């Protein structure tokens, strides 16, 4: 079994990314098969429980109050409406239900509502995940107590490039939240975004930072930037699809036991590109025609893609 290492350096990740493509894919495939069935893909469903009007200035995000996207802010959803969505997600084959809120961090009053949602979703037999912004240690313990399995909080990019994209919270703030989530005993979902104008060195820096965390995130979402008109990054240049596939492979090789999620951006990818990402070791997706505010492939298109590739949804871990 390939060892799970926590001492990956940026230079080593750069060396992986520089391998001839067939060598890199072979390596990723070999590691993937040691830890997972390569025909299985974990299916998560995403619901925005509180949309827009966010005080943070993340340059990629249509939900930032500073973005001129015409998105209207909503209040936090009612618990019953969230549970209805979770039942529908379960019926369509999802094993994990992820609730996202456009907050800098949750207010105590709101957290009480979210804990009720978490407990209700868990009772349906789904794995629970939430992404609510920064958490204190106390808030993380409350969420864990309510039945939250995973917390999503992304590093987004390398420590050096981070300040070009977000100024209202620091990289260290993010690492602190991740530590609170771990200390509370929850699983971590943490990854980043590709295609924000970062260099290949920044991309290697993101993967190396994730792979050098004291424990690897159980789930590593690799998002391809969804360019939304009115956000600061609307005009950023295109990403080379092959470089994106290389990054998926580097995440697979460096974090062999983690689920690597081919996350936002699938709507703009061909079936062939997605197939390459699965070959490179991606083994999780968001299923459902909407991410938080932007489109994701139609369910029928994903079912057809799975059929074409002979992939099947991973059954819920016991
Ligand atoms: N507000 C919370 C936070 O930022 O921690 C949770 C929700 S936030 C939308 C979750 C993640 O979605 C971000 O960290 C970012 O990686 C990703 N994301 C947001 N907008 C995106 C976009 N336009 N394209 C790709 N990923 C995006
Ligand atoms: C993650 O890494 N990607 C998801 C999830 N975590 C919450 C969010 C993608 C959001 C894409 C932009 C939108 O739909 O607003
Ligand atoms: Fe707010 Fe999260 Fe969007 Fe940043 S990514 S603006 S914190 S919703």
């Amino acid at each position: 079994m390939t060892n799970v290492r926590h001492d990956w350096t940026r230079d080593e990740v750069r060396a992986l990314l520089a391998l001839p493509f067939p060598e890199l894919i072979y390596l990723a495939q070999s590691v993937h098969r040691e830890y997972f069935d390569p025909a299985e893909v974990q299916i998560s469903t995403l619901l925005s429980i509180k949309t827009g009007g966010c005080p943070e200035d993340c340059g990629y995000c249509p939900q930032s109050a500073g973005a001129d996207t015409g998105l209207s802010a909503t209040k936090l959803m009612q618990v019953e409406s969230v549970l209805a969505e979770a039942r529908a997600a379960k019926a369509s084959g999802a094993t994990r239900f992820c609730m996202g809120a456009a907050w800098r961090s949750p207010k105590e009053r709101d957290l009480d509502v979210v804990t009720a949602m978490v407990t209700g979703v868990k009772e349906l037999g789904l794995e629970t995940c939430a992404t609510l912004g920064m958490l204190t240690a106390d808030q993380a313990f409350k969420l864990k107590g309510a039945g939250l399995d995973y917390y999503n909080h992304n590093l987004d990019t390398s420590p050096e490039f981070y300040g070009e994209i977000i100024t209202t919270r620091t990289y260290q703030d993010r690492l602190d939240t991740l530590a609170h989530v771990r200390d509370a005993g929850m699983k971590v979902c943490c990854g980043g975004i590709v295609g924000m104008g970062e260099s290949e060195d920044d991309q290697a820096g993101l993967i190396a930072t994730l792979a050098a965390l004291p424990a690897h995130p159980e789930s590593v979402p690799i998002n391809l930037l969804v360019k939304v008109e009115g956000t600061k990054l609307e005009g950023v240049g295109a990403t080379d699809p092959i470089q994106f596939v290389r990054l998926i492979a580097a995440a697979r090789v460096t974090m062999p036991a983690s689920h690597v999620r081919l996350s936002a951006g699938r709507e703009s990818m061909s079936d062939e590109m997605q197939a390459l990402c699965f070959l490179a070791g991606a083994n999780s997706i968001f299923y459902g025609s909407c991410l938080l505010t932007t489109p994701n492939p139609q369910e029928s298109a994903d079912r057809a893609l799975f059929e074409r590739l002979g992939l099947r949804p991973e059954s819920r871990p016991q």
Side-chain angles (χ1 to χ4, degrees):
M1 207 72 150
T2 303
N3 279 342
V4 175
R5 288 177 45 197
H6 298 271
D7 57 353
W8 285 97
T9 64
R10 187 180 302 209
D11 279 348
E12 285 179 296
V13 176
R14 286 181 63 100
L16 281 176
L17 291 170
L19 283 173
F21 191 71
E23 296 284 3
L24 176 58
I25 298 298
Y26 177 73
L27 192 57
Q29 278 272 304
S30 310
V31 171
H32 192 179
R33 281 154 190 269
E34 285 184 48
Y35 285 87
F36 295 100
D37 179 335
E40 287 194 346
V41 177
Q42 189 277 327
I43 307 285
S44 290
T45 289
L46 198 51
L47 177 68
S48 181
I49 58 170
K50 195 272 164 208
T51 306
C54 182
E56 301 286 298
D57 71 349
C58 312
Y60 48 77
C61 185
Q63 303 200 70
S64 168
D68 189 13
T69 50
L71 188 76
S72 44
T74 66
K75 289 195 174 134
L76 178 60
M77 282 175 75
Q78 305 272 327
V79 176
E80 254 321 307
S81 321
V82 171
L83 295 185
E85 297 279 352
R87 274 182 217 108
K90 188 180 179 190
S92 73
T95 56
R96 192 179 309 163
F97 189 71
C98 180
M99 294 161 271
W103 289 326
R104 173 175 167 79
S105 56
K107 296 193 176 65
E108 290 311 308
R109 185 166 35 97
D110 291 331
L111 195 70
D112 290 339
V113 181
V114 175
T115 52
M117 292 172 183
V118 168
T119 304
V121 173
K122 183 89 178 156
E123 278 168 9
L124 296 174
L126 285 161
E127 288 186 306
T128 52
C129 176
T131 180
L132 317 168
M134 290 184 285
L135 294 184
T136 62
D138 191 47
Q139 290 176 324
F141 272 99
K142 270 192 190 152
L143 286 164
K144 168 71 183 169
L148 192 64
D149 297 307
Y150 287 81
Y151 195 77
N152 166 244
H153 200 63
N154 290 339
L155 290 176
D156 280 348
T157 188
S158 69
E160 296 79 9
F161 191 65
Y162 181 88
E164 304 284 317
I165 305 295
I166 300 144
T167 68
T168 49
R169 67 163 77 132
T170 65
Y171 212 72
Q172 188 57 48
D173 287 332
R174 292 190 183 242
L175 292 168
D176 290 347
T177 291
L178 293 171
H180 295 325
V181 170
R182 271 285 174 228
D183 291 347
M186 284 184 283
K187 292 179 189 156
V188 169
C189 172
C190 180
I193 310 182
V194 178
M196 301 191 293
E198 73 283 350
S199 65
E200 289 184 13
D201 192 53
D202 291 314
Q203 295 170 345
L206 167 68
I207 302 289
T209 308
L210 292 167
L213 286 171
H216 290 166
E218 282 78 4
S219 197
V220 181
I222 305 292
N223 297 280
L224 177 61
L225 176 71
V226 180
K227 286 180 216 168
V228 181
E229 222 181 294
T231 59
K232 286 190 199 118
L233 297 180
E234 66 171 320
V236 80
T239 301
D240 172 13
I242 298 295
Q243 175 66 9
F244 184 87
V245 176
R246 285 180 179 276
L247 289 164
I248 296 273
R252 166 53 60 223
V253 172
T254 55
M255 293 171 275
S258 304
H259 279 87
V260 175
R261 181 172 309 119
L262 179 53
S263 195
R266 289 198 301 118
E267 174 70 355
S268 67
M269 294 178 195
S270 65
D271 278 7
E272 292 80 359
M273 177 172 172
Q274 293 187 65
L276 280 177
C277 290
F278 294 126
L279 280 179
N283 62 346
S284 170
I285 58 162
F286 283 121
Y287 180 66
S289 59
C290 187
L291 290 165
L292 290 173
T293 66
T294 64
N296 198 40
Q298 294 292 331
E299 287 91 337
S300 55
D302 277 344
R303 281 196 299 272
L305 177 64
F306 272 42
E307 178 82 10
R308 247 182 128 186
L309 300 177
L311 298 176
R312 56 178 187 273
E314 185 185 280
S315 50
R316 189 190 187 293
Q318 293 310 307

